[in-house]
Amino acid sequence: MRYATAPVSTHRLQLEPDFTLADAVARVGHLATLGVTHLYLSPVLQASSGSKHGYDVVDHTRVAEGLGGDEAFAQLVEAAHAAGLGVVVDVVPNHMTTPTPLSLNRPLWSVLREGRASAYATWFDVDWDAQDGRILMPVLGSSLDDVLADGELELGEHEGEAVVRYYDHVFPVAPGTDVTAPLADVLARQHYRLASWTVGDSELNYRRFFDVTSLIAVRVEVPEVFDATHALLVDGIRSGAIDGLRIDHPDGLADPEGYLARLGDETGDAWVVVEKILEGDETLPPTWRTAGTTGYDAMLRVGGLFVDPSGAEPLTDLSTELLGERQDLEAIVAESKRWVVQVMLATEVSRLLRLVARARPDLDEAAARTVVEAMLVGMERYRVYLRPGTPAHADDAAELQAAASRGAHVVGELDPAAVTGVLDLALGQGSAEDRAAADEFVVRFQQTCGPAMAKAIEDTAYYRHVRLVGLNEVGGDPTLVGVPAADFHRFAETLLAEWPQAMTTLSTHDTKRAEDVRARLFVLAERPDAWATWVRRARVLADDVRADELDALTEYFLWQTVVGAWPISEERLQAYALKAIRESKLHTRWTEPDEAYEAAVERFVTGIVTTPAVAEHVESWVASTAPETRANVLGQKLVQLTMPGVPDVYQGTDLVDLSLVDPDNRRLVDYGERRDRLARLDGGAEPVDLHDEKLLVTAAALRTRREWPECFTGTDATYVALDTGTEHALAFGRGTSEGVQVVVVATRLAGRLADGGGFGDASVALPSGRWSDVVSARTFEGGAVRLAELVGASDDGRAGLPVALLVRVTEEEA
């Protein structure tokens, strides 16, 4: 399906109190000049006071006051439209945040105050029976008895009603409560139960976002809940203020297909993309009313083009040497998933088991738990898409059956009767004593698969596997070292045929490393021997700052991080290192920090940043690999911006961006610098550094898309793979049925290219006519053109750009 409101390109803006809607208005002119067609805004609805990301929504009826409110949003829309730009908004349908005094979630406040009698009781995904008709609120620093004994809880007043206060937390008091009674008695009469934060993973009885207990799931599958939570955004679509939507975490929804169908009905099929991670050859369900994913599948293929497969074995040998053992990613993932399922998601598994007990009381509880755990551990996708009452698709059925078998190798032997019974429930088939419970199990099992995958793989295993950390990315595959050009062409052709208006990306607010950090790290696969020599020397130079507690895995992980993000401040690297070691969960965790180990890591980070000899060593690597990095930075950017799909430029990535995982990648962007650089380049100045070159390539590609939209997102758009005669260059044409109008050429695997003496006589056959390279202002005639002329040294001997963007010269321009 083609969407009339689809952008030609987008630019993601991270709104927050220090970058408001008014600040965005001030950047509209520059972004229009850059060449994008749409602003892509992070969530705009009212979130927690001071929220730096907007995903902790508290009120769906208004634009966040901290961003400027409804009036400021209207002003941004007006400014964008005046500049010829559209607006896309990020939507958070899956969850809201729990209440605090400054960010009152009124629907949840009502439920906490009145319980099941609240008019909002259907809004939230609560298993009331698990806590005797109450909602568990695990916010206390210790047990309730200890908190009461220490006088940390008190009765007070908020907006004219009695409340219970605990530091920054505030909770309502149920109507009719005798507030003169002892505080323990007052709490016993509430519709919620205050408890230590430590019991959240084991006793929580509301569905949450992954393992974040402060984000409570919203039941948008209920029509009135959908209406209330989407009214403002739907009105924005209908009025023309909003042109498209990005849907956050659809895998968390009870019925993603039904949700998208309802959204399509309400918005007249506005352009909608979904934040969906596809594993391997997995594809989106074709029945979903969406333009496609937000682009992690494209990012995997684009980045893979610039990874040298010949580096896989040498890098494996190096990590084995440093760690003293050969890492097995499959085993790391399996162990990570086992821990996440049995510990972090224990409360979610317990909820599934309560449904099993109701639907199939004949199954042994312990045996059934082992099967459920095995299936969650064994799943190789973020979920399947079964709807109660609808026969399971053969692929989904096969995945669930295979998951049980795979998981059994991790959690232990499975009882055959329990396997059959639980699989029947998961597939929505077979008999059940309680059909409602069986139907609910179908939904809830699928909703639990995503957190198990994400927390185990992205947020655990990818902090443990260190062969080439640039591959450890959201939607990535560290076992896939390099993507052949032929495989990329097939992917691009399929994308154009099936999801031509899906988003593509290289960086997002969720990526573990910005695109240019990964571009630098990809060079390790091109120079594995030089890298091994460099690392061995780096370890010697760091002898004085390495404490006994520091393990080799973390050290090697950090060396790669340093060369990828250099220059980096000690403050930024310390924050990243702490997050990385706690996410890996090998020696320390968020919930159980090991102070001695963390101190050792802190000492090491300080040492490598502040020791002159170490800094010089890092700088020597960055300098010596600059040519390969340059080719990767510019090549992957140009390919992403011109391949099939709607490309997003994440804020700041029009220049070289060396950010790390959030919140590092949400730092404020210097748009003034970008405006000044672009003005200088547009005035005819030559690029002075890689920042300029990346900006030049980005602007040229975006402007070409805007000038030739029919070649990129039009109904007649084409993609033509062009033979380059070498593995060191990728080329393709974009056009219409009338012919190719744009040709893209990018250098790849530049390290081995230099070792082999260059492109030699390899060439690209340009279609007939005259062609202008819009990034170098050179022209070429159709026919065979040597790659060395297109993406090699210029005629005067200067180093030319490693990319070319050729646009057909029309008769009027000739």
Side-chain angles (χ1 to χ4, degrees), residues 110 223 246 447 484 612 713 757:
S110 172
R246 177 260 193 196
Q447 290 175 307
T713 55

Side-chain angles (χ1 to χ4, degrees), residues 354-360 388-389 421-422 424-445:
R354 290 193 291 274
L355 294 172
V356 171
R358 287 168 50 197
R360 290 292 303 271
V422 173
D424 280 349
L425 285 176
L427 291 168
Q429 60 190 29
S431 60
E433 186 166 315
D434 185 332
R435 177 49 57 187
D439 289 347
E440 187 176 346
F441 182 88
V442 172
V443 172
R444 299 209 178 283
F445 177 81

Side-chain angles (χ1 to χ4, degrees), residues 323-514:
L323 274 58
E325 63 178 355
R326 188 182 181 96
Q327 286 193 309
D328 181 340
L329 180 61
E330 183 178 349
I332 292 173
V333 168
E335 173 55 27
S336 299
K337 292 181 78 172
R338 183 202 62 76
W339 186 89
V340 165
V341 167
Q342 294 182 343
V343 179
M344 183 178 288
L345 300 179
T347 187
E348 283 78 8
V349 173
S350 293
R351 186 170 185 179
L352 290 172
L353 266 295
R354 290 193 291 274
L355 294 172
V356 171
R358 287 168 50 197
R360 290 292 303 271
D362 58 306
L363 298 180
D364 178 78
E365 181 179 351
R369 176 178 284 272
T370 303
V371 173
V372 169
E373 290 176 348
M375 291 173 64
L376 290 170
V377 168
M379 281 287 292
E380 292 186 343
R381 299 190 224 157
Y382 276 70
R383 67 173 283 173
V384 292
Y385 296 97
L386 304 176
R387 306 173 85 177
T390 302
H393 189 279
D395 287 346
D396 287 340
E399 174 61 22
L400 291 178
Q401 291 164 352
S405 178
R406 289 188 292 259
H409 295 292
V410 180
V411 304
E413 184 177 354
L414 306 181
D415 175 68
V419 171
T420 299
V422 173
L423 271 175
D424 280 349
L425 285 176
L427 291 168
Q429 60 190 29
S431 60
E433 186 166 315
D434 185 332
R435 177 49 57 187
D439 289 347
E440 187 176 346
F441 182 88
V442 172
V443 172
R444 299 209 178 283
F445 177 81
Q446 295 175 83
Q447 290 175 307
T448 309
C449 292
M453 286 284 287
K455 297 308 297 183
I457 297 177
E458 298 169 27
D459 293 339
T460 304
Y462 283 0
Y463 288 96
R464 297 181 178 184
H465 189 257
V466 294
R467 176 173 66 179
L468 180 56
V469 300
L471 299 179
N472 301 359
E473 193 48 83
V474 180
D477 181 358
T479 67
L480 185 65
V481 184
V483 172
D487 289 358
F488 176 80
H489 288 313
R490 281 192 291 270
F491 174 78
E493 290 162 355
T494 300
L495 197 64
L496 180 64
E498 299 179 3
W499 304 98
Q501 295 172 322
M503 183 177 278
T504 69
T505 190
L506 288 179
S507 298
T508 75
H509 61 285
D510 283 329
T511 43
K512 302 303 182 185
R513 297 161 190 84

Side-chain angles (χ1 to χ4, degrees), residues 314-325 327 466-467 556:
L315 290 176
T316 298
D317 292 342
L318 177 60
S319 67
T320 301
E321 170 194 327
L322 297 175
L323 274 58
E325 63 178 355
Q327 286 193 309
V466 294
R467 176 173 66 179
Y556 189 39

Side-chain angles (χ1 to χ4, degrees), residues 29-222:
H30 162 68
L31 295 176
T33 302
L34 182 65
V36 298
T37 67
H38 285 65
L39 307 179
Y40 163 28
L41 308 179
S42 59
V44 299
L45 300 184
Q46 182 63 56
S48 296
S49 178
S51 175
K52 303 288 280 187
H53 50 76
Y55 292 94
D56 44 352
V57 178
V58 297
D59 188 348
H60 296 89
T61 66
R62 57 196 171 105
V63 173
E65 292 179 0
L67 302 180
D70 295 327
E71 183 177 352
F73 182 76
Q75 291 171 349
L76 176 59
V77 170
E78 181 180 5
H81 289 179
L85 304 180
V87 175
V88 174
V89 173
D90 200 341
V91 183
V92 190
N94 182 70
H95 52 265
M96 298 177 72
T97 194
T98 52
T100 62
L102 299 179
S103 306
L104 194 60
N105 177 342
R106 295 194 180 277
L108 182 56
W109 183 270
S110 172
V111 175
L112 293 174
R113 185 174 183 268
E114 301 170 29
R116 288 174 164 175
S118 167
Y120 296 96
T122 59
W123 273 52
F124 302 102
D125 197 345
V126 180
D127 185 359
W128 292 95
D129 294 338
Q131 291 287 337
D132 297 322
R134 306 166 80 191
I135 303 178
L136 183 74
M137 288 282 115
V139 300
L140 305 180
S142 55
S143 71
L144 177 59
D145 288 343
D146 288 345
V147 168
L148 284 170
D150 292 340
E152 296 175 279
L153 280 165
E154 62 181 12
L155 285 170
E157 187 176 287
H158 179 74
E159 296 186 353
E161 64 175 297
V163 297
V164 175
R165 294 188 182 277
Y166 176 71
Y167 295 103
D168 288 339
H169 296 277
V170 60
F171 297 93
V173 172
T177 300
D178 179 8
V179 295
T180 66
L183 186 51
D185 293 342
V186 170
L187 293 174
R189 290 172 171 80
Q190 303 313 305
H191 298 288
Y192 53 86
R193 179 169 76 85
L194 299 183
S196 167
W197 65 273
T198 60
V199 305
D201 287 344
S202 58
E203 298 183 31
L204 197 70
N205 66 325
Y206 59 81
R207 188 167 60 85
R208 53 187 171 170
F209 173 71
F210 291 0
D211 63 332
V212 184
T213 57
S214 61
L215 297 176
I216 183 170
V218 177
R219 300 179 64 224
V220 293
E221 66 271 22
V222 177

